Amino acid sequence: MEQKRSLPDTIAPGWLVVQVFGTLFVIITLVTARESALWIWALYGVSAACWLLFVALDRSRPRLTAGLLGAATLLPAVALGAAEDSTALLLTAIILGRFAALATPSVAAIVGVGAGTMALAVLTWPISGETPVGAFGQALVLLAITLVGVNHRQHVVRREQAERLLEQTRLAQAEQARAAALDERTRIAREIHDVLAHSLGALGVQLELAEALLAEKSDVTGALATVRRSRGLAADGLAEARAAVAARRAPKPGNCPTA
């Protein structure tokens, strides 16, 4: 039975909505940035390019795009200590949240990227002009985003595993139904074969007897009676064959007839 899709999934798939809104957030963050250092803009540009490649190729090349998204997460984190505004933190948080929610990379890879961004946030605070409390605050924000993303990822993985298990169960049930149908057809064919073999064998004997009565004794009355018996044998064999076929077509108890 096909699963019903929710109204949002009918309008647009959930993954597409996430990609679109994530792209909008990335664009808005870059447009509102107030950075003057060219090397920071270079990091942002490469990170945005990796994000766009991820959005374009995620459905066809999930492993490649997961690596690109991991790189896109770490690149703006390099500028956390030197950024003139919160662009680096926002860009890192947006892309990290999406990366941590992916089912393709392992949890170890996600934790490694998240730990890398937190390490960059903490280790670059001496050149940022901020207090250590601010740097550790950024690290805690990135930690929280990583944990939320991993938690969402676990839900997605469990749902996909449940869907695969359900599909495998359906396939196994379909195979069992086909095997049962084949066994039933074999049984009916064997029954029909036995019925016809018995009927045709008896019919052959009766026809031989009728032929002998006509040829040797010219006993028309006896031959006619033998032919009538042969006709009865043929009718009985045909009736038994039809009964076997009807038993095959009849619905079994507990099965609802199809409309």
Side-chain angles (χ1 to χ4, degrees):
M1 180 183 297
E2 184 178 357
Q3 294 182 344
K4 295 182 179 179
R5 300 175 64 187
S6 61
L7 180 59
D9 284 338
T10 303
I11 298 173
W15 64 267
L16 180 59
V17 174
V18 172
Q19 308 292 56
V20 169
F21 276 97
T23 303
L24 289 177
F25 290 149
V26 170
I27 292 174
I28 293 173
T29 302
L30 292 176
V31 168
T32 57
R34 296 188 304 274
E35 300 290 348
S36 58
L38 292 179
W39 68 273
I40 294 180
W41 277 109
L43 291 175
Y44 292 170
V46 176
S47 177
C50 291
W51 170 271
L52 293 177
L53 286 173
F54 161 74
V55 172
L57 302 176
D58 179 43
R59 306 298 291 181
S60 59
R61 304 289 297 276
R63 293 187 179 278
L64 172 63
T65 53
L68 290 173
L69 197 61
T73 304
L74 292 171
L75 286 171
V78 176
L80 284 173
E84 298 176 7
D85 56 14
S86 60
T87 300
L89 178 61
L90 290 175
L91 201 58
T92 302
I94 292 170
I95 303 176
L96 176 61
R98 186 68 186 99
F99 178 74
L102 291 179
T104 302
S106 63
V107 175
I110 295 172
V111 171
V113 172
T117 60
M118 289 182 280
L120 289 170
V122 173
L123 295 177
T124 57
W125 73 264
I127 62 174
S128 65
E130 295 184 1
T131 63
V133 175
F136 279 100
Q138 290 182 345
L140 289 177
V141 169
L142 296 174
L143 174 62
I145 291 173
T146 302
L147 294 177
V148 170
V150 170
N151 181 65
H152 175 74
R153 175 192 183 276
Q154 296 303 102
H155 283 293
V156 171
V157 170
R158 283 195 294 268
R159 184 184 63 199
E160 291 178 350
Q161 290 175 344
E163 290 175 352
R164 285 195 296 268
L165 180 60
L166 179 61
E167 184 63 23
Q168 290 174 357
T169 302
R170 289 174 178 171
L171 291 175
Q173 291 175 345
E175 289 296 330
Q176 291 176 354
R178 281 194 289 269
L182 289 175
D183 290 342
E184 183 69 8
R185 290 191 184 100
T186 302
R187 185 184 67 81
I188 296 301
R190 186 163 48 247
E191 290 181 2
I192 294 174
H193 173 271
D194 294 341
V195 168
L196 293 178
H198 174 73
S199 300
L200 291 176
L203 182 61
V205 171
Q206 292 298 318
L207 290 175
E208 288 179 359
L209 177 59
E211 182 182 7
L213 289 173
L214 289 173
E216 298 177 3
K217 300 181 179 181
S218 299
D219 185 358
V220 177
T221 302
L224 183 59
T226 303
V227 170
R228 289 195 183 101
R229 285 195 300 271
S230 301
R231 184 175 62 186
L233 289 172
D236 291 342
L238 182 60
E240 291 180 10
R242 286 176 175 171
V245 173
R248 171 67 182 87
R249 293 177 176 175
K252 296 181 180 180
N255 292 342
C256 297
T258 57

